[in-house]
Amino acid sequence: MAIPRLTQKEMTESEQRELKTLLDRARIAHGRLLTNAETNHLKKEYIDKLMAQREADAKKARQLKKKQAYKPDENATFSWSANTSTRGRR
C-alpha cells in the first residue's frame, strides 16, 4: 500500500517555514529567481525527506507500542470470579 504524497497544506507551520527558508537560500545561492522546475525539484526533495522522517518516526512508535503492549501472565491461574458477573444471569 503506497502512502499518499504529502502536500504543503498537510505540513506543520514549522515545516512550511523550513521549506520557504530552503527555497530562499537556493534563490540567494543562484543569485536570481528560481524557475518552476528548480522550485518543484527542491520541494519534491524536501517532501521526500519529510515523508521518510515521518515514516521512521511512525515505525519507532509502532515498535514501542508493540513492546509495551499488555501481555497476560501465563503463570497466573484462571479466576472464574473475575470473569463472571456478581449479579448472575437474568
Side-chain angles (χ1 to χ4, degrees):
M1 183 173 108
I3 299 172
R5 188 144 185 86
L6 186 67
T7 63
Q8 282 186 266
K9 289 182 180 179
E10 296 167 345
M11 290 183 197
T12 63
E13 284 186 34
S14 61
E15 293 166 346
Q16 289 176 357
R17 262 187 264 117
E18 188 176 342
L19 177 61
K20 187 175 182 321
T21 304
L22 181 69
L23 291 171
D24 288 342
R25 286 184 182 157
R27 180 183 49 81
I28 292 168
H30 283 83
R32 58 176 170 76
L33 292 176
L34 298 175
T35 63
N36 285 343
E38 291 169 336
T39 302
N40 291 339
H41 182 71
L42 288 171
K43 284 181 183 179
K44 184 176 183 288
E45 285 181 348
Y46 180 72
I47 289 173
D48 288 344
K49 184 185 89 172
L50 197 58
M51 287 176 62
Q53 174 77 29
R54 286 186 179 184
E55 183 60 34
D57 291 344
K59 185 176 181 180
K60 285 180 185 177
R62 285 192 302 268
Q63 287 176 344
L64 183 62
K65 185 176 178 182
K66 186 175 181 180
K67 182 180 174 186
Q68 293 178 342
Y70 174 74
K71 294 182 178 66
D73 186 12
E74 295 174 0
N75 296 330
T77 59
F78 188 78
S79 173
W80 281 103
S81 60
N83 294 317
T84 56
S85 172
T86 56
R87 293 182 65 181
R89 295 184 67 181
R90 291 186 176 190

